Amino acid sequence: MATLIQNLARLAVNTFRRDPKLTTEVFKGRYEQLCDLLNTLTPQDLNLDPRLLHDRGHYNPNRDGAPVTYMQIYEDQDVTICVFILKHGVRLPLHDHPDMYGLLKVVHGVVSVQSYSLGGEVAGETGTGGVFPATKHSKVEVRAGDEACRLCPGDHNIHEIHSVDGPAAFLDILSPPYGEDIRTGYDRDCHYYQELSPSLAQSLAPHLTPGLLPNLSVNPETPNSTWLLSIPTPSDFWCDQAEYQGPSVEINNHNNS
Ligand SMILES: [Fe+2]
């Protein structure tokens, strides 16, 4: 009998395989089905090693190794399925998912997720040092048992994730994957950001497009408007890797319609 993770992977591949014959309606139907199935996932379905989830107190870089552990379950040209394990009191820094869909299902512990949606014109250069107008969404706390968080190319596409009161683990389904996209030739890098305080944003104003910045945080119609500065990967953030030890995931790409 197929396991839940096997069914999940098969459905993820069928949803995200970028088949031009896949209509928007079919995509949406599969996407909702995928979310429903993902919402039933537990750590037992992944056979997560309890040692990876053990709480040793607040993260100590001199004692605990990497703040974050990455575990890949499946990847092809269209979709990545992986697990992130955050130690107690650490964060995945504010990062983007360029033109990607993402589903995040907490399977252990609690995380807080602060999301942003990019909007409007880009001020300054793209890449590190660029400044981007964004909408800041309400911070949410998500725990094992809660529904999966969703992001898509134009919505909630940038987020920062903290573990709350202990280690936390979540499964991510990302499409397309980061890295070189053989279907489009686009190299999909992950970029990191820092939210600009109004004072810092004002100090950068002379370097930005004239007239763009004065609306920051003072336009009553857009109270959640903010600015994000593209920064290098934060030096205190790194991942080690753990091997996935759950049920095997096999996809027959020639027979998955
Ligand atoms: Fe993410």
Side-chain angles (χ1 to χ4, degrees):
M1 201 174 102
T3 59
L4 192 144
I5 189 68
Q6 172 77 47
N7 287 335
L8 199 61
R10 194 175 290 150
L11 190 50
V13 168
N14 277 336
T15 304
F16 289 122
R17 64 196 162 106
R18 292 186 284 179
D19 180 347
K21 295 198 289 284
L22 202 67
T23 64
T24 306
E25 213 163 288
V26 171
F27 170 79
K28 282 184 180 165
R30 290 183 183 174
Y31 180 77
E32 291 303 328
Q33 225 184 319
L34 179 63
C35 292
D36 288 346
L37 190 59
L38 182 58
N39 288 338
T40 68
L41 187 74
T42 69
Q44 291 72 38
D45 295 310
L46 302 171
N47 194 26
L48 280 184
D49 184 343
R51 285 172 296 184
L52 292 171
L53 306 174
H54 180 61
D55 189 359
R56 303 184 68 192
H58 199 281
Y59 171 69
N60 175 348
N62 298 319
R63 181 195 64 192
D64 298 332
V68 176
T69 297
Y70 175 83
M71 180 186 291
Q72 185 160 295
I73 297 177
Y74 175 82
E75 184 167 274
D76 65 16
Q77 63 271 35
D78 296 314
V79 63
T80 301
I81 303 175
C82 59
V83 175
F84 286 93
I85 300 164
L86 277 58
K87 294 198 169 91
H88 185 152
V90 307
R91 55 92 173 85
L92 275 185
L94 190 57
H95 63 280
D96 65 0
H97 311 78
D99 273 326
M100 293 161 71
Y101 286 88
L103 293 167
L104 182 163
K105 170 67 178 126
V106 177
V107 292
H108 178 82
V110 185
V111 297
S112 76
V113 184
Q114 175 64 67
S115 299
Y116 300 79
S117 296
L118 285 182
E121 295 172 61
V122 171
E125 298 172 6
T126 55
T128 300
V131 178
F132 304 88
T135 300
K136 184 175 186 175
H137 300 289
S138 301
K139 191 185 276 191
V140 290
E141 266 196 10
V142 191
R143 57 199 68 232
D146 287 347
E147 290 190 357
C149 301
R150 307 175 180 203
L151 64 87
C152 59
D155 196 29
H156 287 66
N157 195 269
I158 299 183
H159 60 199
E160 179 167 88
I161 300 167
H162 289 251
S163 57
V164 178
D165 296 334
F170 61 86
L171 184 119
D172 242 356
I173 300 177
L174 299 171
S175 175
Y178 288 112
E180 194 179 345
D181 188 336
I182 59 166
R183 293 203 194 274
T184 64
Y186 174 50
D187 201 0
R188 190 169 277 106
D189 259 349
C190 183
H191 308 96
Y192 293 90
Y193 297 87
Q194 172 189 328
E195 185 180 355
L196 292 180
S197 65
S199 60
L200 187 52
Q202 292 297 342
S203 72
L204 285 171
H207 310 289
L208 301 178
T209 308
L212 208 51
L213 201 58
N215 290 328
L216 174 67
S217 298
V218 295
N219 183 344
E221 289 173 24
T222 55
N224 300 320
S225 293
T226 188
W227 295 81
L228 300 178
L229 172 68
S230 177
I231 59 169
T233 308
S235 58
D236 63 344
F237 167 67
W238 58 289
C239 292
D240 62 5
Q241 294 204 24
E243 201 171 326
Y244 170 64
Q245 298 190 324
S248 67
V249 171
E250 286 160 25
I251 305 292
N252 178 354
N253 277 312
H254 302 293
N255 185 28
N256 56 2
S257 55

